[in-house]
């Protein structure tokens, strides 16, 4: 009988503790000082995400790079590149042929827009991009990045970098294309 009461007392104590913590959490959430300040909160709306139009020169350069390869890389390998904020290709694997930084002063083009061109079709591949540098300390600036297949160019990846608040911004990045 004594063991049963001890177990029951432990269950009751655990239940009381759980309800106390849950009630305290509800009370803290309802307290106005517990809410995040406006400057820390995420912005509500992002700038529209769209790719710049493809020029005839870009299409010709991409076709020429596509014809340059004898065979695509083997399954399980990756193509990669490290790109500076001004669009310079700092380091890269053999399949990366060029990086183009779009001029933000032309219609339909914004800061932080890049095109990474490879020598094989990458439309059905997986892309992973991250803000990053190649300096010895390798402490990247804050920001956001996204990668997608380039519109109308089968052997290119479109990369868009943004500031932490969601505005267009030139940021250095690393990209991997998995085969």
């Amino acid at each position: 009988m004594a063991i049963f009461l001890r177990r029951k007392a432990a269950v009751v104590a655990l239940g009381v503790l759980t309800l106390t913590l849950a009630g305290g959490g509800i009370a803290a959430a309802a307290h106005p000082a517990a809410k995040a300040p406006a400057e820390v909160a995420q912005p509500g709306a992002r700038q529209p995400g769209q790719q710049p139009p493809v020029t005839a020169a870009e299409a010709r350069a991409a076709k020429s790079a596509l014809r340059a390869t004898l065979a695509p890389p083997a399954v399980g390998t990756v193509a990669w590149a490290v790109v500076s904020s001004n669009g310079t290709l700092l380091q890269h694997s053999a399949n990366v042929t060029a990086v183009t930084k779009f001029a933000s002063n032309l219609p339909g083009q914004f800061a932080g827009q890049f095109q990474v061109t490879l020598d094989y079709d990458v439309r059905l591949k997986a892309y992973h991009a991250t803000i990053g540098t190649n300096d010895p300390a390798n402490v990247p600036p804050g920001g956001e990045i996204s990668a997608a297949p380039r519109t109308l160019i089968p052997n290119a990846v479109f990369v868009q970098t943004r500031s932490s608040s969601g505005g267009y911004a030139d940021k250095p990045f690393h990209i991997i294309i998995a085969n």
Side-chain angles (χ1 to χ4, degrees):
M1 182 80 168
I3 293 175
F4 174 75
L5 289 177
R6 274 191 244 147
R7 287 184 185 164
K8 191 172 184 180
V11 170
V12 169
L14 184 59
V16 169
L17 178 62
T18 303
L19 290 174
T20 302
L21 291 174
I26 292 169
H31 192 276
K35 295 188 179 183
E39 65 271 5
V40 176
Q42 285 288 331
R46 296 268 183 238
Q47 293 167 332
Q50 60 189 26
Q51 294 188 21
V54 177
T55 65
E58 288 174 345
R60 280 192 304 276
K63 281 184 183 178
S64 132
L66 192 56
R67 286 189 294 254
T69 187
L70 298 175
V75 174
T77 61
V78 296
W80 58 271
V82 179
V83 181
S84 71
S85 60
N86 66 4
T88 303
L89 191 57
L90 300 174
Q91 299 169 329
H92 61 93
S93 63
N95 295 104
V96 177
T97 61
V99 172
T100 304
K101 181 183 179 308
F102 294 100
S104 58
N105 59 349
L106 297 176
Q109 298 181 7
F110 302 98
Q113 293 183 327
F114 303 87
Q115 174 180 304
V116 179
T117 307
L118 294 96
D119 63 358
Y120 63 98
D121 189 332
V122 294
R123 286 178 294 189
L124 299 176
K125 307 299 181 187
Y127 319 116
H128 177 75
T130 185
I131 302 291
T133 64
N134 72 340
D135 66 357
N138 202 17
V139 178
E144 302 172 4
I145 189 167
S146 56
R150 178 70 168 115
T151 303
L152 302 175
I153 300 181
N155 59 319
V157 179
F158 176 74
V159 177
Q160 172 69 66
T161 59
R162 298 176 184 266
S163 65
S164 294
S165 63
Y168 295 120
D170 295 330
K171 303 281 184 177
F173 65 92
H174 298 193
I175 185 166
I176 294 176
I177 298 96
N179 298 299

